Amino acid sequence: QVRLVESGGGSVQEGGSLRLICAASGNIYRKYCMGWFRQAPGKERERVALTDSNGSKTYADSVKGRFTASQDIAQNILSLQLNSLKPEDTATYYCAVDVFPCWGGAAAGYAVPSGDWGQGTQVTVSS
């Protein structure tokens, strides 16, 4: 099991930036996928960014061009750079790791709550 701890959330104005960090204890390199998810009040959790074992990244359409996921496997750190933030980006952000098929895979909308998850960090964007 991998323990994940997020940090870096906060409150910013529209157009601002934040960098979320996820520190992992355990061997995340053994996991197949690393992901960032978010959940806003009253809404279902959604995938924001996903990185597979080959380093290929996919992003939700709503954040493409604004968010960038990266990872330092040697340091067991995942990060998510959030730029050009919008009020609709307000949510609790979670990092997670999982093995194939990674939260149920694309067919399941990556909605299966499998793998290991952090406790979340709040991002609030005001207009």
Side-chain angles (χ1 to χ4, degrees):
Q1 185 174 4
V2 177
R3 181 170 179 264
L4 303 169
V5 179
E6 301 97 336
S7 62
S11 297
V12 297
Q13 294 285 328
E14 184 174 8
S17 298
L18 287 171
R19 186 173 185 85
L20 307 183
I21 300 296
C22 175
S25 60
N27 296 323
I28 61 172
Y29 72 91
R30 295 185 181 275
K31 296 293 186 178
Y32 183 81
C33 298
M34 294 166 279
W36 287 91
F37 296 75
R38 67 185 180 186
Q39 187 167 21
K43 295 186 177 181
E44 293 186 353
R45 185 168 56 198
E46 64 171 336
R47 174 187 60 94
V48 175
L50 187 152
T51 304
D52 68 20
S53 61
N54 294 318
S56 296
K57 295 180 174 60
T58 58
Y59 296 90
D61 288 342
S62 59
V63 306
K64 281 181 180 177
R66 301 189 298 121
F67 292 8
T68 303
S70 59
Q71 60 282 336
D72 184 337
I73 300 300
Q75 298 296 324
N76 280 350
I77 292 175
L78 312 178
S79 61
L80 184 68
Q81 179 68 38
L82 291 66
N83 295 329
S84 302
L85 282 161
K86 304 175 181 180
E88 52 264 42
D89 294 319
T90 295
T92 300
Y93 284 70
Y94 301 88
C95 64
V97 295
D98 199 8
V99 295
F100 185 83
C102 304
W103 307 290
Y110 305 102
V112 176
S114 54
D116 300 310
W117 294 77
Q119 83 290 349
T121 186
Q122 178 67 36
V123 171
T124 302
V125 185
S126 57
S127 57

